[in-house]
C-alpha cells in the first residue's frame, strides 16, 4: 500500500513538473509508460488530460478529464478544463454545464464565472450572462469579467451600459486590446461583434 502511494505521488509530481517546465513530449512519454496507473488516479488522470490537450489530442484529453471526474466528481480542475475543451470545440452547452458544476462546488471561482459568462454569450443568452457577471466579486480576473459583461450588455442592445463599463475598464487596464476594439465598435455605432 505504501508503495502505491509513493508511485502515485511520484507520477503526479513528474507529470506536473514536465507540464510546468514546458516539456510536453516528456510528459507524453511518461503518460504512455504509466498509463494503467494514471487511469486509476484522479490527479494523474487530470495531468494526463492537460498533457493530451497541450499536444493536440483532444479526444484523449476528454477521456482523461472524464476519468478524473469518475474517480472524484467534485474535482474543479477537471470540470473547468473539460469545460474549456468543449468551449474551444464550440460545444457551448456542454461547456456551460461543466462551468455550472464548478460554480455549484465553488460559487466564487472567478475563472468559471468568466467562462460561464462567455458560454452564455455564445449561446446568445445575454441577459443571463449579465446577471451572472454582475454578481462576480473582485478577483484577479476582473478585466476579463468586465469585458465580457460589457460585451453581454452590448449584445443585448444596451450600448450605453457597455460603453460605461469599457471606459472604466480601460482606465484600469489601458492596454486591454479587446476592450479598445469593442469600445471603437460601440462609438462607431456598428452592430454585432
Amino acid at each position: 500500500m505504501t508503495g502505491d502511494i509513493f508511485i502515485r505521488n511520484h507520477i503526479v509530481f513528474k507529470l506536473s513538473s514536465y507540464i510546468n517546465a514546458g516539456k510536453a513530449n516528456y510528459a507524453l512519454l511518461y503518460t504512455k509508460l504509466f498509463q494503467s496507473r494514471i487511469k486509476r488516479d484522479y490527479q494523474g488522470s487530470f495531468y494526463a488530460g492537460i498533457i493530451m490537450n497541450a499536444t493536440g489530442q483532444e479526444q484523449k484529453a476528454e477521456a482523461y478529464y472524464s476519468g478524473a471526474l469518475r474517480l472524484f466528481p467534485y474535482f474543479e480542475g477537471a470540470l473547468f478544463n473539460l469545460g474549456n475543451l468543449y468551449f474551444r470545440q464550440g460545444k457551448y452547452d456542454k461547456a456551460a454545464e461543466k462551468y455550472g458544476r464548478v460554480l455549484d462546488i465553488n460559487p466564487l471561482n472567478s475563472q468559471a464565472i468568466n467562462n460561464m459568462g462567455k458560454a452564455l454569450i455564445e449561446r446568445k443568452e445575454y441577459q443571463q450572462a449579465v446577471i451572472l457577471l454582475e454578481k462576480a466579486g473582485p478577483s484577479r480576473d476582473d478585466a476579463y469579467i468586465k469585458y465580457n459583461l460589457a460585451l453581454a450588455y452590448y449584445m443585448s442592445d444596451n450600448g450605453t451600459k457597455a460603453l460605461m463599463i469599457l471606459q472604466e475598464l480601460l482606465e484600469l487596464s489601458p492596454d486591454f486590446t479587446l476592450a479598445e476594439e469593442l469600445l471603437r465598435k460601440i462609438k462607431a455605432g456598428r452592430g454585432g461583434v
Side-chain angles (χ1 to χ4, degrees), residues 103-114:
L103 293 172
D104 287 343
I105 296 165
N106 180 0
L108 301 177
N109 185 318
S110 60
Q111 290 179 319
I113 291 169
N114 181 57

Side-chain angles (χ1 to χ4, degrees), residues 146-147 149-155 157-171 179-189:
K146 287 189 185 321
Y147 169 78
L149 178 60
L151 181 59
Y153 271 120
Y154 178 62
M155 297 304 288
D157 294 324
N158 191 342
T160 304
K161 185 74 173 172
L163 185 67
M164 196 171 70
I165 293 167
L166 289 169
Q167 288 171 333
E168 195 177 290
L169 171 58
L170 287 167
E171 283 178 24
E180 290 173 341
E181 289 172 11
L182 183 56
L183 184 64
R184 276 195 296 276
K185 281 184 181 184
I186 292 170
K187 286 183 175 180

Side-chain angles (χ1 to χ4, degrees), residues 17-191:
S17 296
Y18 287 140
I19 291 167
N20 292 332
K23 296 181 177 180
N25 289 335
Y26 289 117
L28 191 58
L29 177 62
Y30 208 79
T31 301
K32 288 178 184 175
L33 288 172
F34 292 98
Q35 187 172 16
S36 64
R37 288 190 181 268
I38 288 170
K39 286 184 175 182
R40 295 185 307 213
D41 180 78
Y42 78 94
Q43 286 183 323
S45 292
F46 172 69
Y47 283 111
I50 292 173
I51 292 158
M52 295 304 145
N53 197 35
T55 56
Q57 299 178 57
E58 290 184 344
Q59 283 184 314
K60 287 183 180 180
E62 180 179 7
Y64 276 114
Y65 291 141
S66 296
L69 291 169
R70 273 191 296 284
L71 296 167
F72 184 44
Y74 304 101
F75 189 12
E76 282 183 60
L79 286 165
F80 184 76
N81 285 6
L82 194 51
N84 289 345
L85 180 70
Y86 290 143
F87 189 91
R88 283 191 306 276
Q89 294 173 341
K91 298 175 183 176
Y92 304 118
D93 291 338
K94 287 178 123 179
E97 188 265 326
K98 297 304 177 200
Y99 298 139
R101 285 188 50 205
V102 172
L103 293 172
D104 287 343
I105 296 165
N106 180 0
L108 301 177
N109 185 318
S110 60
Q111 290 179 319
I113 291 169
N114 181 57
N115 288 12
M116 177 64 130
K118 288 179 3 184
L120 290 169
I121 290 168
E122 290 295 335
R123 291 169 37 176
K124 299 182 179 3
E125 297 176 27
Y126 308 123
Q127 273 314 117
Q128 291 88 334
V130 165
I131 291 166
L132 174 72
L133 296 167
E134 281 279 2
K135 292 190 301 187
S139 73
R140 62 187 168 99
D141 299 304
D142 266 357
Y144 294 101
I145 290 171
K146 287 189 185 321
Y147 169 78
N148 285 312
L149 178 60
L151 181 59
Y153 271 120
Y154 178 62
M155 297 304 288
S156 61
D157 294 324
N158 191 342
T160 304
K161 185 74 173 172
L163 185 67
M164 196 171 70
I165 293 167
L166 289 169
Q167 288 171 333
E168 195 177 290
L169 171 58
L170 287 167
E171 283 178 24
L172 299 171
S173 303
D175 296 330
F176 199 139
T177 308
L178 288 174
E180 290 173 341
E181 289 172 11
L182 183 56
L183 184 64
R184 276 195 296 276
K185 281 184 181 184
I186 292 170
K187 286 183 175 180
R190 288 182 280 181

